[in-house]
Amino acid sequence: MLKIREYEFDFDISAPGDLEKYLHSCEVMAEKEKLAPKMPTDVQDPQYMQDYYKWLSAYCKILTDWIDDILGDGACNKLLGPKTSLSGLMNVYDEISEAATAQGNAIGQHIRKYMPNRATRRKVKVQK
């Protein structure tokens, strides 16, 4: 289970299916970013606000889709409510990334507990 804010989601980075879903969602997000409008930088351009709106909308959609792809349809709405903002979405993105990393680190420690390195195994054999 992955806990984000006060909600728990059926997601475990050490489950092959969930890891595959996570990796695939990250790849899809990267592809969508390539096609997204570029962030406008010239605030003097009369088209600036329209271009900024298009950029902002595209990135909100990209992040919403990523969150829902990983945690399930409606997860983004559950976490942020119906009104989403880029800052809110980026915060949830960070929380998911950190929680998935924590899951991975926990299973890594568990694996290392049962798979000591060669030097440790040799040392144990020599002491016997």
Side-chain angles (χ1 to χ4, degrees):
M1 296 302 267
L2 188 73
K3 187 167 183 175
I4 305 295
R5 300 182 179 195
E6 70 269 15
Y7 300 101
E8 285 192 352
F9 295 92
D10 184 17
F11 179 88
D12 184 342
I13 200 74
S14 69
D18 287 348
L19 177 58
E20 181 179 23
K21 183 172 34 173
Y22 185 86
L23 294 172
H24 180 261
S25 296
C26 289
E27 289 172 9
V28 169
M29 182 172 63
E31 289 301 313
K32 287 180 179 179
E33 281 182 305
K34 290 177 187 175
L35 302 173
K38 301 296 178 216
M39 183 176 171
T41 56
D42 184 5
V43 295
Q44 302 303 319
D45 184 348
Q47 187 66 26
Y48 175 80
M49 286 307 287
Q50 283 298 324
D51 291 345
Y52 180 76
Y53 171 78
K54 290 175 187 173
W55 173 84
L56 182 66
S57 296
Y59 274 83
C60 284
K61 174 94 171 96
I62 288 168
L63 287 168
T64 298
D65 290 348
W66 183 83
I67 293 165
D68 283 349
D69 284 348
I70 291 172
L71 301 179
D73 287 337
C76 190
N77 192 41
K78 187 177 192 177
L79 290 165
L80 293 171
K83 182 179 177 181
T84 57
S85 67
L86 186 58
S87 62
L89 289 162
M90 292 177 79
N91 288 338
V92 170
Y93 173 88
D94 288 343
E95 290 173 42
I96 292 170
S97 297
E98 290 166 9
T101 298
Q103 278 185 343
N105 288 340
I107 192 65
Q109 285 179 335
H110 199 98
I111 289 168
R112 283 188 294 281
K113 177 179 166 183
Y114 293 101
M115 297 179 74
N117 66 34
R118 279 186 246 165
T120 303
R121 288 191 305 260
R122 285 185 196 131
K123 189 175 183 179
V124 169
K125 285 181 183 179
V126 171
Q127 290 176 355
K128 289 184 180 181

